[in-house]
Structure formats: C-alpha cells, structure tokens
C-alpha cells in the first residue's frame, strides 16, 4: 500500500535532511548570525543532540580537556542505554517467571484438593449404604457355583491351575519398559512443544518480556540512528591533526590546539577512545544494519509484515517507506552522511569543501530522481526537496568566502528562505498526513495493528 506509514517516513526524511544540513556549520563557511542560528536549530536532530551533556562550563585546569570528556560521554550514551535496558528486561523476565510458576502450581493444588473431597464423599456414601440383603443372596449363589466347579475339576485329567492359566492367557508386561517408553514419548512431545512454542508466541501471543525486549531493541537502534552523524564526526575529529610549522610541537589536534598530536594524552585517547569508536560505531553499526536487513529481506519484502512485526519491528526504521526492491537504501543515506563528515573534517580548503559536498548531493539527487526509491509519491517529492535544499545550502555557502558583502548577504538570505520553505512544507505535510491516519484509525478504515507497527 503506497499510503502506508507516510507520516513516519516524512519524519525520517526531515531528520536525515536536518542531519545533513546541520553539518554545513562544520564547514569553513562564514555564515551570518541568522543562518547560524537556523542551522543550529537543525543541530538538535543532527550533530549536537548530545550537547546537553557537555561539561565545558565546569572544566578546570585539573579537569581533562573538554573535547575528550564530551567525546567519552557521547560514546557512553548508547552503552548506558543498553545496560539499563538489560536491567529492565531482567526484572521483567524474573517477574514473568515467578508469575508463571505460581499459575502452574495452582491447578495442581486445586485438582489434589478436589480429589481428596471426592474420596471423602464416596467413603461416606459407602459407609451409609446397607449391603446385608445383597450379601445373603451372593452367599447362596457362591456355594452352588463352588460345588459345580469342584466336580468339573476332578473329572479333568489335564487341568491347569487357575494361576498358571491366567499367566498363560495374559501376556506378561514389563512395567519398567512400558513406563520408560511412555516417559520417552511424553518427553519427546513436551520437547517439541517447547521448541515450537516460542515461535508461536512471538507471532500470535507474545509474552511481556518479548514485547519489552523488542521495544528496547527498537529504542537502541533509533538512538544510534539519530546519534550516528555525531559519533562519526567526533571519531574523525580525534584523528584530525594539522601541521602549522616545521617542528613536531606545531602538529596539533585541530579541535583543541593545546593538544600535540600523538603526545600525552592524545595518544592514549586515540587508542583507547578513537579506535574503539571507529570499529564499533563508524564501521560496526552500518555492518550490523547490513546484516539485519539482508538476513530479514524475505520478511521485509513479504506482504504480511504485521504477522512478523515482532521480528522486523526493531529494524523497521531502516526500511520503512522504501520500495521493496530498495529496502537497503537507508545504507546509502548513511554513506552520504559519512562522506559529508569526511569532507568537513579532513578537507580544509573552502572551495574544495563546497565542490565535494555539492558533488555528493548531486549524485544523491540524481539517484533519487531516477529510482524514486520511496513507495509513496509524496515521500519521493519530500526527499527530492530535502536534497535540493542541501544542494543550495552547500553551494551558496561557498559564495560567502570570496564574494563581496552584498553577494554574501543575498546568498545567506536565499539559504535561509529555502531552508524555511522546506521546514514549513515538511511540517504541513507531516501534520496533514498524521491527522489523516488518525482519522482512518478512529473510523476503522485502517487496521490498528498496522498503526502500531508504523509507530
């Protein structure tokens, strides 16, 4: 369905555009104040979401350098969230196990008490009943039958004792083997149920711990998705040094020129902080997304996504809104952000920065126009508009360095107006789409399970 998940798709497009456009502040553009404030507002969704955790205001001479501390805080945010999530899941799971144990024991206790009551009732009935007339009749019948049986037994020469006849006619049964066989069959049946039940529960009736684990998993992936440009930027800044003279002391860290590159303490932070962030976040997170997307590509391409919602819901943010043939396209958007960060950090010339950034955006815009990767035409228009906004932002920013005052001001005003137009259009589209989906849910035109998955 082309109308499925339009609101969440538009939100994701806006967040990606804000992340890319906010990186223009890291370029060597001489932005005026009003453009700087506008791009700084984009930074909340882009490279400065964790600026609320900055400790620059409390730094002192005995305190580690603010850049290192801020980077450590940023690197620890996902780890802290994951640790808290595991603690919450452990509490939920233990509570669920205690509840299931008590619920399993209660039927056995009820059955035992009911059996005891039935035995007491039958004993009372037997004690109250008078069996004396029946006993007199049975005694007369038994004496007649015994006399006839004695006579018949005496006439028979090859008679077999009653006990041996019974043992011959009835085959012996090895009770131990029978019990063991029954136990093995029962164990096999129970084992098959236990092996298959979690899959059924995941789809039809998920437990509280399963729901909680899926939600926590989704939250962690969304957090990493939002923080990814910031993590890439901070990781590359740790390795970015600049030589300002002929001596070794002039080779300094560009973001903190008081730090000599590969000296103390920069060498320790390079190997203890920079390399782990490079492996885990910059390289590891995209590889993890590639693995999850291509492992579950059959479920992603299937038409019954709601039946497998628990399995693919955590990675839903990475393929939502795209056509089935382009379920991996979010990886190309992540590559675009990484390339923009590399240009901002390692390219120093303003003109080179502008040309390379414009080249990356033009290639992305051309691919979007040709392929139309989103399933909804409105989403394709929104993505094209976001790339056009980024193109004008990076292209016109280059005029600020080598143009006169009037040209620079005109370029800045044009950048501001284009970004405001894009921001206003996205707000209107997202609001109208959200209201329409709410109306469809309220009046029963849309399945609530699809709405839950889209959220």
């Amino acid at each position: 369905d082309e109308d499925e998940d339009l609101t969440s798709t538009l939100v994701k497009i806006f967040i990606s555009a804000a992340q890319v456009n906010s990186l223009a502040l890291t370029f060597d553009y001489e932005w005026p104040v009003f453009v700087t404030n506008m791009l700084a507002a984009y930074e909340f969704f882009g490279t400065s979401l964790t600026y609320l955790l900055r400790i620059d205001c409390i730094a002192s001479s005995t305190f580690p350098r603010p850049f290192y501390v801020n980077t450590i805080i940023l690197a620890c945010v996902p780890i802290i969230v994951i640790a808290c999530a595991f603690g919450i899941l452990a509490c939920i799971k233990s509570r669920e196990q205690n509840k299931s144990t008590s619920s399993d024991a209660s039927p056995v206790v009820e059955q035992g008490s009911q059996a005891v009551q039935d035995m007491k009732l039958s004993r009372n009935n037997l004690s109250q009943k008078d069996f004396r007339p029946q006993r007199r009749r049975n005694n007369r019948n038994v004496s007649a039958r015994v006399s006839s049986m004695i006579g018949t037994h005496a006439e028979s020469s090859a008679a077999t004792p009653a006990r041996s006849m019974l043992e011959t006619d009835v085959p012996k049964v090895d009770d131990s083997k029978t019990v063991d066989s029954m136990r093995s069959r029962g164990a096999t049946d129970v084992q098959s149920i236990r092996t298959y039940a979690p899959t059924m529960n995941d789809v039809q009736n998920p437990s509280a711990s399963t729901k909680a684990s899926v939600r926590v998993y989704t939250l962690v992936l969304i957090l990493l998705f939002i923080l990814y440009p910031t993590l890439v930027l901070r990781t590359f800044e740790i390795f970015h040094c600049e030589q300002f003279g002929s001596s070794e002391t002039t080779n300094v860290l560009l973001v903190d020129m008081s730090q000599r590159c590969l000296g103390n303490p920069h060498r320790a932070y390079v190997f203890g902080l920079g390399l782990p962030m490079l492996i885990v976040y910059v390289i590891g997170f995209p590889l993890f997304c590639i693995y999850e997307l291509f492992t579950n590509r059959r479920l992603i391409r299937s038409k019954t996504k709601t039946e497998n919602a628990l399995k693919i819901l955590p990675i839903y943010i990475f393929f939502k809104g795209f056509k089935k043939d382009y379920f991996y396209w979010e990886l190309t958007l992540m590559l675009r952000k990484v390339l923009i960060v590399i240009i901002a950090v390692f390219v120093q010339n303003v003109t080179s920065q502008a040309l390379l950034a414009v080249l990356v955006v033009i290639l992305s815009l051309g691919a979007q126009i040709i392929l139309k990767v989103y399933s909804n035409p409105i989403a394709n228009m929104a993505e094209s508009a976001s790339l056009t906004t980024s193109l004008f932002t990076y292209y016109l920013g280059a005029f600020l360095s080598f143009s006169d005052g009037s040209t620079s001001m005109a370029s800045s005003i044009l950048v501001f107006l284009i970004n405001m137009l894009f921001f206003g259009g996205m707000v209107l589209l997202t609001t109208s789409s959200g209201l329409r989906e709410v109306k469809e849910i309220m009046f029963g035109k849309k399945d609530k399970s699809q709405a839950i998955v889209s959220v």
Side-chain angles (χ1 to χ4, degrees), residues 9-71:
T9 303
L10 292 175
V11 171
K12 189 176 71 170
I13 291 173
F14 175 73
I15 291 176
S16 297
Q19 290 174 338
V20 173
N21 291 345
S22 64
L23 290 172
L25 276 180
T26 62
F27 282 45
D28 296 331
Y29 294 158
E30 298 178 359
W31 296 110
V33 177
F34 62 94
V35 178
T36 302
N37 294 334
M38 178 199 65
L39 295 177
Y42 278 150
E43 280 186 327
F44 180 79
F45 302 99
T47 61
S48 296
L49 182 63
T50 57
Y51 277 9
L52 296 174
L53 304 175
R54 291 175 67 99
I55 49 84
D56 301 45
C57 56
I58 61 173
S60 61
S61 58
T62 59
F63 208 75
R65 300 301 301 173
F67 171 73
Y68 296 139
V69 178
N70 292 330
T71 306

